[in-house]
């Protein structure tokens, strides 16, 4: 039975010369990707990797990530992608949390990887894979990997663990969602066949981070499954992406609203071959659908899902954006309902692509999974024909540019500073990112005058870029309930008033 690990092998058998990956003028065919993944698997096994061992992958959006990802899966290992925006301290925490045996990097992230290994207790060792011949000590280069003999992948149980994806979960606390080969394969299949109907003539934009579930599954896995190309960009550079779209090099664009907003205003020229755009990760800002439709001859879709289970629903977005909160109809095999049978309340879901649970956290798993359904933490309602409307979130998770930020994680870090008595972190509306991260502080009597600058440095050292507060407010006190909980709704209104003033 086909598993996630065997996707490049299957693509190579279908069309060995298909250009699955493109980065600038460099192409990686299906057969080259298959051989490179086999080479990675062989190298890992030679170093003692065995099925079930954890391999952390710290790579940017280059040609090193896909062979490392599929190669580690092919060896039966469990892959834990790490955001390349993470500082060494955060990388080290991931290594310890997942019990990684290997940290695989590209040369650009090898320095951060080595620094993380000095802080970790995991005992992991470093593997560096370069896109070309590299002078990095001990690096394995991609041109050598693609010379590895083509061999059939070992059979793996479809239900075996495959990938650990970091998420803020439905609780506002960072979690690690563990996915199986079968679940992620069904996820990719739903995207490729039902949602966007990918084929060998398609080319998806690869601007989403491959370390994130959206880029890894909906773009990379779905494209390799369908034999479509992925046109990679090392970073979401609007000028470069606009050139690719205007030149007709891309047919499908999947992205978060932040990037779409920047692209919509990048120029007046139509995108001649873009037939489908898919937005996910955060609600569409007012006015963005109309701006996108001016440049897009095809359809604009919005999908609803989460790291634990996706995709769940999809809708075609009209120029006026449609009804607020509307996220469309459930996809095949997906159940979305309101808990307790109420008209409106917390949404709970079941889908073929459901995750296995939170890695190493049985209590958190039991909190969200029950009777085959998952509590989403989202408030909403389900209308006629199953159409779903999301009306809010139960827990405080900030969605900044499509990335989930656990407010409590940031608060805990800020409160480690000796000058901070109390800290509250929340999302405030932002026209570009959807939400921006704001921090409200109550300082101790002898706090230094440059405390905010010191906190900014602390966040730079300890948190991924998207988690760091950009707005800082020093208050005399935080509004609280009688039981001592911060009234974040009241606090948000207070901060909005300060921004307007």
């Amino acid at each position: 039975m086909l598993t996630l690990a065997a996707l490049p092998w299957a693509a190579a058998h279908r069309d060995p010369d298909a250009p699955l990956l493109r980065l600038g003028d460099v192409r990686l065919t299906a057969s080259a990707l298959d051989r490179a993944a086999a080479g990675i698997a062989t190298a890992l096994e030679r170093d003692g990797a065995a099925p079930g061992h954890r391999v952390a992958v710290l790579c940017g959006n280059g040609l090193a990530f896909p062979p490392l990802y599929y190669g580690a899966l092919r060896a039966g290992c469990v892959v834990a992608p790490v955001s390349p925006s993470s500082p060494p301290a955060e990388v080290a925490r991931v290594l310890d949390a997942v019990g990684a045996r290997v940290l695989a990097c590209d040369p650009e992230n090898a320095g951060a990887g080595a620094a993380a290994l000095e802080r970790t207790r995991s005992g992991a060792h470093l593997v560096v894979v370069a896109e070309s011949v590299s002078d990095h000590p001990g690096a394995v280069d991609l041109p050598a990997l693609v010379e590895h003999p083509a061999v059939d992948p070992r059979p793996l149980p479809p239900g075996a663990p495959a990938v650990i994806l970091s998420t803020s979960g439905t609780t506002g606390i960072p979690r690690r969602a563990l996915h199986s080969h079968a679940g992620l394969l069904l996820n990719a299949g739903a995207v490729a066949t039902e949602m966007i109907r990918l084929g060998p003539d398609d080319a998806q934009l690869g601007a989403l981070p491959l370390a994130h579930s959206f880029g890894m599954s909906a773009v990379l896995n779905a494209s390799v499954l369908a034999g479509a190309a992925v046109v990679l960009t090392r970073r979401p550079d609007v000028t470069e992406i606009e050139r690719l779209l205007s030149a007709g090099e891309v047919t499908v664009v999947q992205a978060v609203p932040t990037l779409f907003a920047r692209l919509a205003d990048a120029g007046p020229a139509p995108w001649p071959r873009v037939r489908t755009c898919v937005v996910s990760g955060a609600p569409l800002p007012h006015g963005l659908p109309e701006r996108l439709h001016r440049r897009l001859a095809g359809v604009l879709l919005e999908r609803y899902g989460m790291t634990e289970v996706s995709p769940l629903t999809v809708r075609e977005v009209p120029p006026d954006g449609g009804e607020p909160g509307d996220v469309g109809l459930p996809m095949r095999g997906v159940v979305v309902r309101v808990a307790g049978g109420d008209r409106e309340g917390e949404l709970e879901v079941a889908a073929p692509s459901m995750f296995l649970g939170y890695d190493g956290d049985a209590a958190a798993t039991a909190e969200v999974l029950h009777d085959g359904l998952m509590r989403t933490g989202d408030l909403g309602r389900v209308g006629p024909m199953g159409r779903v409307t999301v009306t809010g979130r139960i827990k405080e998770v900030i969605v900044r540019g499509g990335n989930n930020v656990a407010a409590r994680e940031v608060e805990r870090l800020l409160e480690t500073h000796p000058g901070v008595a109390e800290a509250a972190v929340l999302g405030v509306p932002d026209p570009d990112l959807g939400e921006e991260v704001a921090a409200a502080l109550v300082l101790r009597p002898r706090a230094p005058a440059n405390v905010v600058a010191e906190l900014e440095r602390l966040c730079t050292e300890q948190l991924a870029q998207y988690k760091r507060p950009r707005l800082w407010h020093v208050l005399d006190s935080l509004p609280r309930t009688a039981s001592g909980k911060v009234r974040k709704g009241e606090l948000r209104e207070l901060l909005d008033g300060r921004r307007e003033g």
Side-chain angles (χ1 to χ4, degrees), residues 28 33 81 104 113 121 178 184 186 204 220 227-228 260 284 340 354 408 467 469 481:
L28 203 62
L33 176 59
R121 304 182 304 275
L178 180 62
L184 287 177
L186 288 166
Q204 279 216 75
L220 181 61
F260 274 124
L284 277 165
M354 189 83 76
R408 189 59 194 139
K467 298 180 182 179
T481 65

Side-chain angles (χ1 to χ4, degrees), residues 416-434:
T416 64
H417 190 286
V420 176
E422 296 177 299
V425 172
L426 66 162
V428 296
D430 184 276
D432 190 22
L433 298 169

Side-chain angles (χ1 to χ4, degrees), residues 17-30 33 61-63 66 131 199-207 210 220 223 227-234 240 243-244 247-251 273:
D17 297 324
L20 290 188
L21 298 167
R22 308 178 197 169
L23 181 60
D25 295 329
V26 181
R27 304 287 190 270
L28 203 62
T29 65
L33 176 59
N61 269 34
L63 292 172
E131 295 175 7
D201 294 331
D202 280 312
Q204 279 216 75
L205 178 68
L210 296 178
L220 181 61
S223 295
V230 178
V231 181
L232 293 165
T233 63
R234 293 195 188 278
E240 171 61 13
R243 185 193 67 78
L244 292 170
E249 296 187 35
V250 171
T251 64
R273 291 191 64 220

Side-chain angles (χ1 to χ4, degrees), residues 61 110 117 188 202 249 292 305 311 343 361 380 407 461 476 488 492 501:
N61 269 34
L117 290 176
D202 280 312
E249 296 187 35
L292 283 173
R343 181 178 178 275
D361 198 337
E461 294 171 356
D476 294 330
K488 288 203 171 178
R492 185 174 287 106

Side-chain angles (χ1 to χ4, degrees), residues 163-176:
V163 178
I164 300 172
L165 293 168
S166 296
T167 176
S168 294
T170 61
T171 61
I173 300 171
R175 305 290 189 197
R176 298 177 301 279

Side-chain angles (χ1 to χ4, degrees), residues 88-450:
E90 187 165 6
V91 177
R93 288 198 295 270
V94 173
L95 296 177
D96 288 335
V98 304
R101 300 290 190 96
V102 176
L103 173 60
C105 303
D106 53 18
E108 292 75 17
N109 291 282
L117 290 176
E118 294 177 357
R119 304 173 181 227
T120 182
R121 304 182 304 275
S122 67
H125 68 275
L126 186 67
V127 172
V128 179
V129 173
E131 295 175 7
S132 57
V133 177
S134 172
D135 58 3
H136 191 282
V140 179
D141 62 77
L142 192 55
L145 285 171
V146 299
E147 297 300 321
H148 190 280
V151 292
D152 292 346
R154 72 166 75 188
L156 294 168
V163 178
I164 300 172
L165 293 168
S166 296
T167 176
S168 294
T170 61
T171 61
I173 300 171
R175 305 290 189 197
R176 298 177 301 279
L178 180 62
H179 285 268
S180 68
H181 283 266
L184 287 177
L185 194 59
L186 288 166
N187 179 318
V191 171
T193 61
E194 183 181 357
M195 192 168 73
I196 53 179
R197 297 180 176 87
L198 279 176
D201 294 331
D202 280 312
Q204 279 216 75
L205 178 68
L208 287 166
L210 296 178
H212 187 278
S213 59
F214 194 7
M216 184 202 72
S217 193
V219 177
L220 181 61
N221 289 341
S223 295
V224 177
L225 176 65
V230 178
V231 181
L232 293 165
T233 63
R234 293 195 188 278
R235 54 194 57 83
D237 180 82
V238 172
T239 302
E240 171 61 13
I241 295 171
E242 172 65 17
R243 185 193 67 78
L244 292 170
L245 302 187
S246 298
E249 296 187 35
V250 171
T251 64
V252 176
V253 180
Q254 299 198 64
V256 296
T258 303
L259 181 55
F260 274 124
R262 293 168 180 167
L263 287 171
D265 297 332
W271 300 328
R273 291 191 64 220
V274 177
R275 62 173 182 81
T276 304
C277 286
V278 182
V279 62
S280 186
L284 277 165
H286 178 72
L288 179 56
E290 182 181 5
R291 287 149 54 204
L292 283 173
H293 275 285
R294 291 175 190 159
R295 308 196 65 191
L296 175 65
V299 297
L300 174 62
L301 303 177
E302 180 179 24
R303 78 167 196 169
Y304 167 63
M306 52 208 65
T307 302
E308 293 87 344
V309 53
S310 188
L312 293 169
T313 69
V314 66
R315 69 164 180 142
E316 185 171 338
V317 184
D320 66 0
E323 292 296 320
D326 177 19
V327 292
L329 293 167
M331 301 186 70
R332 283 195 291 267
V334 172
V335 172
V336 182
R337 71 184 191 187
V338 177
D342 295 333
R343 181 178 178 275
E344 183 170 343
E346 183 176 13
L347 298 175
E348 52 185 17
V349 300
S353 57
M354 189 83 76
F355 76 137
L356 297 174
Y358 293 117
D359 187 52
D361 198 337
T365 302
E367 184 180 345
V368 300
L369 290 179
H370 64 97
D371 299 328
L373 290 107
M374 176 186 168
R375 298 174 55 193
T376 66
D378 289 324
L379 292 169
R381 56 183 180 271
V382 180
M385 305 298 294
R387 197 165 192 93
V388 178
T389 300
V390 177
T391 57
R393 291 195 301 274
I394 294 175
K395 302 293 183 181
E396 284 290 339
V397 176
I398 304 163
V399 183
R400 182 185 187 275
N403 292 297
N404 287 355
V405 181
R408 189 59 194 139
E409 179 188 18
V410 185
E411 288 166 355
R412 288 193 186 105
L413 178 63
L414 299 180
E415 289 168 354
T416 64
H417 190 286
V420 176
E422 296 177 299
V425 172
L426 66 162
V428 296
D430 184 276
D432 190 22
L433 298 169
E435 288 185 298
E436 184 56 277
V437 182
L441 309 171
V442 177
L443 302 181
R444 299 187 186 280
R446 295 179 179 83
N450 65 338

